[in-house]
Amino acid sequence: MTFVIVGAGLAGQRAAETLRSEGFAGRIVLLGAEPERPYDRPPLSKEVLQKEAEPDLYFRPSDWYAEQRIEFRPVAAAALDPGARVVTLANGERLGYDALLCATGTRVRRLGVPGADLDGVFYLRTLADARRIRAAMAGARRVVVVGGGFIGAEVAASCRARGLEVTLIESLPVPLGRVLGEELGRIYAGIHRERGVNLYTGETVAEFQGAGRVERVVTGSGRVCECDFAVVGIGVVPEVEWLAGSGVRIDNGIVVNEYCETNVPGVYAAGDVARWPYRGELLRVEHWDNAGNQAAVAARNMLGKGERYNPVLYFWSDQYDLRLQYVGHASTWDRIVYRGSVPARNFTAFFTRDGQVHASLSINRPREMMLCRRLIQSGKPVDLDRLGDEGVDLKLLL
Amino acid sequence: MAEYVAVARAGDLGEGDMTAVVVDGQRILVARVEGELYAIAAVCTHGEANLDEGFLDGCNLTCPLHFGCVDVRTGLPTAPPIVKPSPVYAVKEEDGMILVSKTPQGSGVRA
């Protein structure tokens, strides 16, 4: 019995670990598109850029793979033939499988403006990318960060921590607005400005200029931002081209059901590349927690366990000395209830709809995480006034 | 013999409670589960998080950052992403005080 896992990020790693911990004794091949063995990505925009020494990001020591009889191979998949149950690798090799997990994740979206290919214009997705940015930070004075999503906001904060002058350019009215909404995005705009970031919102990039290497960024409204290097974080696209012609259903990612199964028998998907039904809505989630948990469920289902994936979603983001933790998922809400102090940057914001909490965002309040999770999982209506009252123990609202 | 240091009053740590103390610059988590005291390193072996800000359910301690779990009695991981055992400190109660060893007495010690 051969199980092939395509993609060696968190999802691929967790799937391989789960197969073994569940007692699968067959062959496991773990294919990675990068030369590195599997490693953890969240520190790339934080610790890797901030710390003197590069932290150890690998999930497991190199000899672990042989011990577990997991064949990690740094070669990408190029094509899939589900009829023959064969995956073709980038080196032309053909590999048969009994079950296959697609965990290829995403790649960065590129900015198509003049000068975007100049030296010193970086993107951040891989350890190699982070090392290039880290090297550019040494001796640099000014950076322009394009995109005020989570990657851009974290890179901006990391660059400030290293004493760089930072200009952050976001096309929406607020940073982090796509996920957090305008109200919380405004709070984050304030946080970045307080920490000395030149934040331009509602602003685009027209051109990167420089003699071979980027020296300045010209914005859509004609601002000129001088810089020693630039980092672009404008989102990612699912890595699905290798499935072209395979018959696997693709629609902004690989479409799977709640059991992580694609429309093709024996082919599963999990992590950032998978789009799946979450409470009636097809979602593709680009967060660490989902990648690991969904992959573990997919692995168990490859073993025939028939487990539904029904999570409470979660992500975190560290910017400056502020730890943001977001539980649940809310694309719309009618009221945000605050508990704690927004000016002191120590609060939880509950995104509520019809008196029910759909998501919560906490800043520097780790102790509330489990309670927030339970509150959202329960789906029970809550008294919003008591929810916002610090004098009322959250446990009493469960 | 382990060298102990008093870190808290025994009466301040009830059943199912945990607290963090600092000994020689090391943050140590002390918990009382079913009457027994346990002490492990308070900093998660996986991410940059304080386990004492997490959630203790019986002997199972959940990290507040990535929801990995560790057995507070042994320091052994019980749920990913935690894979490395936590250093375990010796702990005892004497004259109404809780004392912990100044250095770890093992890592991933079975109770």
Side-chain angles (χ1 to χ4, degrees), chain A residues 20 23-30 63-72:
Chain A
R20 281 290 178 252
F24 177 66
R27 184 180 180 209
I28 300 175
V29 183
L30 177 58
D63 52 6
W64 180 87
Y65 294 87
E67 276 167 25
Q68 294 288 318
R69 295 184 302 108
I70 292 166
E71 298 170 39
F72 166 64

Side-chain angles (χ1 to χ4, degrees), chain A residues 14 17 40 47 51 59-60 288-289 314 316 323 325 327 366-367 369-370 373-374, chain B residues 27 46 48-50 52-55 57 62-67 80-81 83-84:
Chain A
R14 186 70 63 80
E17 293 196 11
D40 213 12
E47 290 88 342
K51 294 210 163 159
F59 291 117
R60 297 285 189 174
W288 182 95
D289 187 68
Y314 169 72
W316 82 98
R323 171 159 289 170
Q325 295 182 278
V327 182
R367 289 174 205 278
M369 280 309 98
M370 293 301 284
R373 232 157 78 125
R374 286 185 181 180
Chain B
R27 199 178 163 92
H46 168 254
E48 300 208 344
N50 292 323
D52 55 283
E53 293 172 339
F55 184 79
D57 183 12
T62 303
C63 174
L65 183 54
H66 302 124
F67 306 125
V83 294
K84 284 185 214 144

Side-chain angles (χ1 to χ4, degrees), chain A residues 111-178:
Chain A
L111 198 54
V113 300
D117 55 353
L118 284 171
D119 284 348
V121 178
F122 301 106
Y123 293 82
L124 179 53
R125 177 74 192 165
T126 65
L127 181 54
D129 293 336
R131 284 174 175 156
R132 279 191 283 270
I133 294 171
R134 196 182 146 90
M137 286 169 83
R141 194 162 66 81
R142 292 171 301 196
V143 59
V144 171
V145 179
V146 180
F150 283 99
I151 291 295
E154 290 186 351
V155 168
S158 293
C159 288
R160 286 300 296 147
R162 294 284 296 265
L164 272 69
E165 286 174 31
V166 178
T167 298
L168 179 57
I169 299 173
E170 165 58 43
S171 61
L172 292 179
V174 294
L176 308 178
R178 222 171 250 111

Side-chain angles (χ1 to χ4, degrees), chain B residues 89-106:
Chain B
Y89 292 77
V91 58
K92 60 184 178 182
E93 203 170 314
E94 256 176 34
D95 302 327
M97 296 299 288
I98 293 171
L99 287 77
V100 300
S101 59
K102 292 181 84 167
T103 52
Q105 300 299 298

